[in-house]
Every structure is written in C-alpha cells, then in structure tokens.
C-alpha cells in the first residue's frame, strides 16, 4: 500500500494518522478534506512535501472521489461530523456527511476495487450501566442514542452491506474516546485544558459520573495501520486501551496536573440522552493481529497532552472563542 488516501485527514484523529504513517512507513499520503470548522491545515504542517499532498474537497463529490480512488492503493475513511452536541442542535450535516459521504466512497471502492478501511466509534453500541462488568465486543448489538451515533451506525452497516453484496475489500474499526495533540477545543479534554489555561472553571455535565474509555490518538493510529495491513476483509475490530475513567476523574486529574485544586469545577445540567459508560474489549485486535497500545499510563499521556496545548496556543486560540460561544447558547 504505497499510496494512501485519507479522508478527513485535517481533523484530529485523521491528521494524527497521517503524521503516524509518514513517520513510520515509506508510503505517500493524500488527504481529502472539506475543511469544515473541525479541520485545520495547521494540523498538517511540517509533513514531507515529496510524500504528502492535500486536496480540498467533499467526500460527497462522486467525480472527485472516483478520480482519487483510481490513483491510490488504499483508502482510510476518517471524515465525519462527530460532535454529539452539534448533532442534537442540527442533525442534517451528520446525515449528509456520515451517510451520503460514506455511500459515495463505497461506490468508488466498488468501482475501483481499492482497499477501504472505515473508521467508526464505540458510540454505535449505545452505553453500559456504571456497575455492568461487561464491555463492548464486535458482537454487541448496535443501539445508538444520538443523531451522531445513529449516522455512524448507519455508515457501518453500509460498509457491511457493500462487502457482502458487492465484494468491496473493506474492514471496520470502532474506537473508544481519543485524546492527544491537535484535538479541537470543543471536545471534552482540550476544552477543559484550555479553560484552565484561560482561568475559566471547567464544567461537567450532570454529576460527572459518565465513564469513557480513553486511548491516545497515536495508539489509535498504530491500530488502524495494523488493521489496514493485516485485518481480515469484512471483519470489524474494536480499538481500546483499558482507559476507563469518569469525566469527573479526568477533570480532577487535569486540574491537579495544572496546579489547581481538584474540586475547582462546576456541575451543569446534563446533556439529553447522555450515555453513561463506554468500555471496549479489544482482545480480538490483540489476539488476531498482535497489536498492543504504547500509552498505557493515562496520567502520563494526559500530562503530555496538557504540555502540547500550553506550547501550541497559536494552534487552538483561533478556535476557542467560537467554540465557547456555541456552548454559551446552551448554557454549557
């Protein structure tokens, strides 16, 4: 796979994958990105010009997509509308990008025979009770609870159908919550970090008891590359790193790491349909493909992430005012 096409490669986990591939393989990478508010060319700075190019475009543009597929050996599909709060206030872009966009890519894969990997989320499975010892597996039934997760679930099902009906050479991965450098400040961890930098008290939905299963973006990228190279066509792989933490635990750790009192945060009204707990069983990825995460110490990974946001204010500062204005409208 000498020539990779990465959709959504100017976003958080997409750009991390691009950096990872170019640093750890000899492949060349083309990024196709619409550059919505969540995408940034600044996230792609410093990449080798002889092995990287950027194409500004929409994954729903069939003519553009078909031409790019014909030029590449494999496609990794990261492009998505991905913020739950935004999906509740305006679901239409989620249907367009996550469903119509995925359909457009799958039709291109069907026409060209290009290897295709589909990036998805653990949110398609719904949630687990806080005291439930179980974790999501590849056999867990889908039970999405928001316009975001339902459109991602729909896109996963499209991939499965195109594999079975048309022989598309595809795999799927569903990942737990990512954290790390270059994540948009509307997201949970960078929002709290940048608020503390700005002297603003973090806010938590409800009682802050909701649990997420955290994984460093570099570990996600290494897992995706392993699946792309060795995954079994038609299969789904769950990506996790045993990083279960409540939102309250994460905020308190951020505050302590940044020299604040652990309880220096406020509680606000909970989000409608807020899932209680996500937890990933990634044993299939470990046992079948031999993958292991490197960032097993969440506190150390979080400390490095905080340092990145402290040192790269020029990257996130332009996003901050707009993101906080959106939250202010809903009182969050």
């Amino acid at each position: 796979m000498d020539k990779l096409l990465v959709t959504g490669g100017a976003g958080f986990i997409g750009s991390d994958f691009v950096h990872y591939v170019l640093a750890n393989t000899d492949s060349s990478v083309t990024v196709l990105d619409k550059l919505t508010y969540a995408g940034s060319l600044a996230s792609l700075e410093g990449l080798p010009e002889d092995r990287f190019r950027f194409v500004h475009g929409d994954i729903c543009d069939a003519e553009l997509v078909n031409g790019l597929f014909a030029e590449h050996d494999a496609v990794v599909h990261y492009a998505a509308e991905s913020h739950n709060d935004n999906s509740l206030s305006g679901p239409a872009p989620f249907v367009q990008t996550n469903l119509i966009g995925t359909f457009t890519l799958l039709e291109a894969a069907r026409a060209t025979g290009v290897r295709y990997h589909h990036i998805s989320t653990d949110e398609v499975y719904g949630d687990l009770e806080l005291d439930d010892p179980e974790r999501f597996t590849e056999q867990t039934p889908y039970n999405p609870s928001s316009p975001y997760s339902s459109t991602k679930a729909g896109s996963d099902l499209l991939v499965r159908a195109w594999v079975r009906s048309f022989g598309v050479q595809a795999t799927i991965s569903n990942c737990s919550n990512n954290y790390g450098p270059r994540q948009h400040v509307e997201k949970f961890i960078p929002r709290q970090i940048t608020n503390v930098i700005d002297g603003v008290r973090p806010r938590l939905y409800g009682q802050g008891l909701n649990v997420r299963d955290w994984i460093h973006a570099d570990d996600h990228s290494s897992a995706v590359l392993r699946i792309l190279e060795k995954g079994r066509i038609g299969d789904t792989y769950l990506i996790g790193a045993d990083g279960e933490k409540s939102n309250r635990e994460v905020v308190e750790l951020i505050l302590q790491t940044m020299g604040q009192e652990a309880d220096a945060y406020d509680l606000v009204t909970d989000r409608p349909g807020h899932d209680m707990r996500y937890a990933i069983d990634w044993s299939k990825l470990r046992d079948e493909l031999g993958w292991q995460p490197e960032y097993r110490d969440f506190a150390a990974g979080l400390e490095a992430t905080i340092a990145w946001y402290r040192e790269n204010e020029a990257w996130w500062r332009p996003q901050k005012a707009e993101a906080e204005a959106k939250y202010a409208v809903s009182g969050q």
Side-chain angles (χ1 to χ4, degrees):
M1 301 181 189
D2 295 329
K3 299 178 181 179
L4 297 183
L5 174 65
V6 179
T7 72
F12 167 44
I13 57 174
S15 64
D16 191 275
F17 180 72
V18 172
H19 281 270
Y20 187 88
V21 167
L22 291 172
N24 292 278
T25 77
D26 295 324
S27 299
S28 63
V29 176
T30 300
V31 165
L32 171 62
D33 201 293
K34 190 178 179 180
L35 291 181
T36 65
Y37 77 96
S40 173
L41 289 177
S43 296
L44 299 170
E45 290 179 352
L47 296 173
E49 294 182 2
D50 60 329
R51 296 169 53 213
F52 168 75
R53 69 167 171 147
F54 177 80
V55 176
H56 186 199
D58 191 337
I59 59 171
C60 296
D61 182 341
E63 182 177 358
L64 173 63
V65 165
N66 288 339
L68 288 172
F69 267 64
E71 299 173 358
H72 293 84
D73 304 317
V75 177
V76 184
H77 176 35
Y78 281 92
E81 292 286 346
S82 64
H83 195 278
N84 268 306
D85 288 344
N86 293 345
S87 80
L88 294 169
S89 60
F94 292 76
V95 173
Q96 181 70 16
T97 298
N98 298 350
L99 291 172
I100 303 302
T102 298
F103 163 76
T104 304
L105 297 176
L106 287 170
E107 284 291 87
R110 175 185 175 189
T112 60
V114 170
R115 172 78 167 89
Y116 173 96
H117 181 70
H118 183 77
I119 304 295
S120 191
T121 171
D122 57 0
E123 295 189 39
V124 299
Y125 300 114
D127 63 345
L128 301 164
E129 296 297 329
L130 293 178
D131 58 355
D132 189 342
E134 296 300 315
R135 295 183 174 192
F136 298 137
T137 73
E138 287 80 4
Q139 287 72 46
T140 301
Y142 278 20
N143 187 30
S145 58
S146 71
Y148 161 57
S149 56
S150 64
T151 55
K152 287 300 293 182
S155 69
D156 292 5
L157 296 178
L158 288 175
V159 176
R160 293 182 182 182
W162 261 244
V163 170
R164 181 167 179 175
S165 298
F166 306 120
V168 168
Q169 299 295 292
T171 46
I172 300 171
S173 59
N174 298 84
C175 188
S176 56
N177 286 52
N178 280 240
Y179 73 99
R182 298 185 297 271
Q183 186 172 24
H184 195 283
V185 295
E186 71 178 3
K187 298 293 189 176
F188 180 65
I189 285 180
R191 187 187 184 206
Q192 312 311 330
I193 293 171
T194 54
N195 275 350
V196 174
I197 290 173
D198 282 351
V200 177
R201 288 170 65 91
R203 294 180 172 187
L204 284 178
Y205 285 127
Q207 296 299 309
L209 301 180
N210 307 71
V211 171
R212 299 295 179 260
D213 194 347
W214 295 98
I215 183 172
H216 194 282
D218 284 354
D219 282 334
H220 185 205
S221 295
S222 70
V224 169
L225 186 60
R226 183 68 59 87
I227 296 167
L228 187 64
E229 294 173 341
K230 298 184 178 181
R232 186 163 49 195
I233 297 301
D235 272 17
T236 294
Y237 297 87
L238 268 58
I239 305 174
D242 299 327
E244 284 189 65
K245 301 285 183 185
S246 72
N247 289 345
R248 178 177 289 183
E249 287 178 296
V250 172
V251 164
E252 290 179 351
L253 184 55
I254 288 172
L255 286 163
Q256 290 175 310
T257 304
M258 299 182 73
Q260 305 289 317
E261 295 295 326
D263 61 353
Y265 58 86
D266 298 317
L267 301 176
V268 298
T269 303
D270 207 355
R271 184 176 71 202
H274 196 180
D275 290 341
M276 285 307 302
R277 172 175 167 256
Y278 307 144
I280 287 282
D281 179 347
W282 50 279
S283 57
K284 176 180 177 179
L285 183 60
R286 178 194 63 211
D287 296 343
E288 292 190 10
L289 303 187
W291 178 83
Q292 291 284 343
E294 292 187 15
Y295 290 87
R296 302 300 292 266
D297 184 341
F298 177 74
L302 186 60
E303 183 176 3
T305 301
I306 291 170
W308 188 90
Y309 280 92
R310 285 192 186 277
E311 296 164 4
N312 291 273
E313 186 169 335
W315 182 91
W316 59 264
R317 181 59 66 186
Q319 310 169 356
K320 185 63 175 173
E322 183 177 358
E324 291 304 323
K326 290 181 180 178
Y327 277 114
V329 171
S330 60
Q332 308 299 336

